[in-house]
Amino acid sequence: SGSKASRSQKHIFKVPTLEELEQQQEQNNQEMKDRLKETIIDSKKIQKELDELNKRMLEKRDMSWQDKKKLEDLLEKHKQLNKDVEELKKENQQNNSQNEEYKKSDQRILDKQKELERLFEQILSEEMKEKMRELERLMENLDKNKLRDMVDQMKLDNKDIEKELDRSLELFKQLEFDQKLTETIEKLDRLREKQEKLSNDTQKSQEQKKAEQDQMNKEFEALRKDLDELQKKNEALNEPKKMEDTDASEQDIQQDMQKSSDELGQGKSGKASKSQKSASKKMEELSQKMKQMQEQNEQKEMEEDIGKLREILENLIQLSFDQERVMKQLQKTHPGNPLYVGLTAEQKKIKDDAKMIEDSLFALSKRVVEIQ
């Protein structure tokens, strides 16, 4: 008999504060680093077991039931490793999306986040996944020779995954440091503005000013903890960045802020204003010092990276000339010729030099996310 009214349950959406976002981000970052480290350890274990299995397969004519079972177990572990990498990739994307939704990040930081996402995408290629499916098919027929080839390939793939995870972990730690440094400078600038504004305020009562100053003192204490955490993140990098000791400046600022709070409590508004202005000025000097340090580090690293890449290129070109020379001499040298032994030694040196170039390029790729 007519329409009925219904009222849905009320829900409240609470936008997280900046402090809550930072705490959540810190927790997410730590979990991400822990997962990466665990996955790298798992990859090393699989690599060791593959080496042991390959050695046993070389020593035997036929595969035993135990060998087949061991290979099946390793295949499952390798598939789980791939699954872990996929989950890491999704977690990284979710963290980045959450940060972009609530925080306005520096464009340089956003670009690095995108590059890191691209890196996670490339860890597991379609070719690698197809090889895993091929290995599963070979397991059914137990063709020992083909299986041995696939185990060798599986070792190479696993080694690639391990290296890319190692690289991703280092780049992630660098990104975390850069982000923390940028955010700490921004927090210092915001606090300086609040301190300056309070020093010029003539409308608020003595009690209101005292309450605001006490709150800012707590905020600066928290900021000092951020700076300590920043130093720890820097020390955790493979190649720590140059950071100046700001402890003396921090103490001076804190003393001025506490002094202004005490003076407000004693009703000395004029003196408190001078202490607040002093604290504001010192905060500005500290901010400038940190920005200059950030710019100098970036400039220095860019110059070093360009120099290292140029050196790698020059070594690679020289290596190609050496290889061509040995190849031509080998074509006209009989194996019985004493010079043949010398050419063998030269070829081994070229191989060792190539490994050094590979290691140098990999070390550089752990600093420069854009390197493919």
Side-chain angles (χ1 to χ4, degrees):
S1 56
S3 59
K4 302 292 187 294
S6 176
R7 188 180 297 276
S8 61
Q9 183 180 353
K10 287 184 178 180
H11 294 275
I12 296 173
F13 174 71
K14 181 178 176 290
V15 177
T17 64
L18 193 60
E19 184 179 343
E20 289 170 340
L21 281 172
E22 286 178 358
Q23 289 175 352
Q24 184 61 51
Q25 183 182 3
E26 195 72 32
Q27 182 180 337
N28 291 344
N29 287 350
Q30 190 57 52
E31 289 175 359
M32 188 76 173
K33 288 186 290 185
D34 291 341
R35 287 283 306 278
L36 275 166
K37 289 175 184 175
E38 289 171 8
T39 310
I40 291 170
I41 291 171
D42 291 341
S43 179
K44 288 181 185 293
K45 288 179 181 177
I46 293 172
Q47 190 72 13
K48 184 179 178 182
E49 291 181 44
L50 280 168
D51 287 335
E52 292 171 355
L53 178 62
N54 193 47
K55 186 178 179 182
R56 287 203 302 271
M57 288 175 69
L58 287 170
E59 292 170 352
K60 296 179 180 179
R61 182 181 294 274
D62 298 311
M63 281 188 72
S64 64
W65 179 85
Q66 289 88 347
D67 291 336
K68 184 188 175 186
K69 185 72 174 68
K70 183 65 177 177
L71 189 55
E72 287 175 348
D73 291 342
L74 282 171
L75 189 60
E76 284 302 313
K77 287 180 180 179
H78 199 71
K79 286 164 70 175
Q80 182 60 47
L81 181 68
N82 292 357
K83 185 179 177 182
D84 292 340
V85 172
E86 290 286 355
E87 289 176 359
L88 281 168
K89 181 177 71 175
K90 290 177 182 177
E91 281 182 30
N92 185 57
Q93 289 173 339
Q94 288 172 356
N95 290 346
N96 291 344
S97 298
Q98 185 179 12
N99 289 336
E100 287 178 20
E101 185 175 0
Y102 293 113
K103 295 169 69 176
K104 184 180 178 182
S105 297
D106 185 89
Q107 187 58 46
R108 182 178 53 84
I109 299 293
L110 290 174
D111 291 341
K112 286 188 177 183
Q113 286 176 344
K114 294 299 180 186
E115 288 291 342
L116 197 56
E117 280 187 23
R118 177 187 60 78
L119 197 62
F120 273 110
E121 291 283 352
Q122 292 179 346
I123 292 177
L124 294 177
S125 64
E126 279 303 317
E127 181 185 3
M128 195 179 294
K129 293 174 183 177
E130 178 55 38
K131 286 174 185 173
M132 293 300 295
R133 290 190 284 268
E134 177 64 21
L135 186 57
E136 289 175 336
R137 289 192 290 268
L138 287 171
M139 284 289 295
E140 297 173 4
N141 300 322
L142 268 183
D143 187 325
K144 184 188 172 186
N145 292 327
K146 287 185 178 179
L147 275 174
R148 186 183 298 154
D149 291 340
M150 289 301 294
V151 168
D152 286 339
Q153 188 59 56
M154 194 170 156
K155 282 169 57 182
L156 290 172
D157 292 344
N158 193 72
K159 193 71 177 174
D160 286 341
I161 292 174
E162 183 186 323
K163 286 179 71 174
E164 288 305 309
L165 287 170
D166 185 30
R167 181 187 174 197
S168 297
L169 175 60
E170 183 59 24
L171 288 169
F172 186 85
K173 289 193 293 184
Q174 286 184 35
L175 177 62
E176 184 185 28
F177 172 84
D178 291 341
Q179 201 165 12
K180 185 74 173 178
L181 177 57
T182 300
E183 289 173 355
T184 303
I185 292 172
E186 290 173 352
K187 283 167 72 173
L188 181 60
D189 287 339
R190 286 195 298 270
L191 190 59
R192 179 195 63 77
E193 290 173 4
K194 285 166 66 176
Q195 184 69 90
E196 182 68 23
K197 185 178 179 182
L198 186 62
S199 70
N200 296 323
D201 197 321
T202 58
Q203 303 298 319
K204 292 176 181 170
S205 67
Q206 204 87 343
E207 291 76 16
Q208 287 175 316
K209 287 184 178 182
K210 174 83 166 60
E212 284 191 33
Q213 186 61 58
D214 289 344
Q215 178 59 35
M216 279 190 275
N217 292 357
K218 291 178 183 178
E219 289 178 25
F220 188 75
E221 182 63 37
L223 192 138
R224 291 195 70 182
K225 291 179 181 178
D226 286 341
L227 287 167
D228 291 339
E229 188 63 32
L230 188 66
Q231 184 64 48
K232 291 177 183 177
K233 291 184 188 301
N234 186 47
E235 291 169 359
L237 297 174
N238 283 355
E239 297 181 41
K241 303 172 190 292
K242 183 180 178 182
M243 284 189 69
E244 291 185 35
D245 186 3
T246 60
D247 194 56
S249 299
E250 294 168 39
Q251 287 181 15
D252 285 347
I253 294 168
Q254 196 164 33
Q255 285 171 6
D256 281 343
M257 294 178 79
Q258 185 58 52
K259 185 180 177 183
S260 68
S261 188
D262 294 340
E263 288 166 341
L264 284 167
Q266 297 165 8
K268 300 175 182 178
S269 183
K271 287 187 176 181
S273 179
K274 288 181 181 178
S275 299
Q276 289 167 343
K277 287 183 183 297
S278 176
S280 175
K281 184 180 178 183
K282 288 174 182 176
M283 276 192 258
E284 184 176 15
E285 290 171 354
L286 178 57
S287 174
Q288 290 300 322
K289 184 187 292 185
M290 291 175 68
K291 288 173 184 174
Q292 187 177 13
M293 176 193 73
Q294 189 179 35
E295 290 172 5
Q296 287 176 345
N297 275 335
E298 288 174 2
Q299 183 65 30
K300 183 185 174 188
E301 287 169 12
M302 187 180 295
E303 290 171 359
E304 288 177 352
D305 294 342
I306 290 171
K308 287 179 181 178
L309 188 59
R310 183 178 289 116
E311 185 180 346
I312 290 169
L313 179 59
E314 289 171 355
N315 289 339
L316 184 60
I317 292 171
Q318 183 58 51
L319 193 72
S320 72
F321 288 138
D322 293 342
Q323 182 65 84
E324 187 176 10
R325 176 179 49 78
V326 170
M327 184 177 68
K328 287 181 178 179
Q329 288 180 341
L330 195 63
Q331 288 173 347
K332 56 185 180 183
T333 304
H334 191 274
N337 191 323
L339 292 174
Y340 196 87
V341 178
L343 290 172
T344 304
E346 282 192 55
Q347 183 61 60
K348 185 180 183 304
K349 183 180 181 304
I350 290 172
K351 181 183 176 184
D352 293 340
D353 290 345
K355 183 67 172 67
M356 287 176 63
I357 290 173
E358 179 192 354
D359 292 343
S360 297
L361 188 58
F362 180 64
L364 184 60
S365 75
K366 291 169 78 172
R367 284 171 52 120
V368 185
V369 70
E370 290 85 2
I371 291 181
Q372 297 288 333

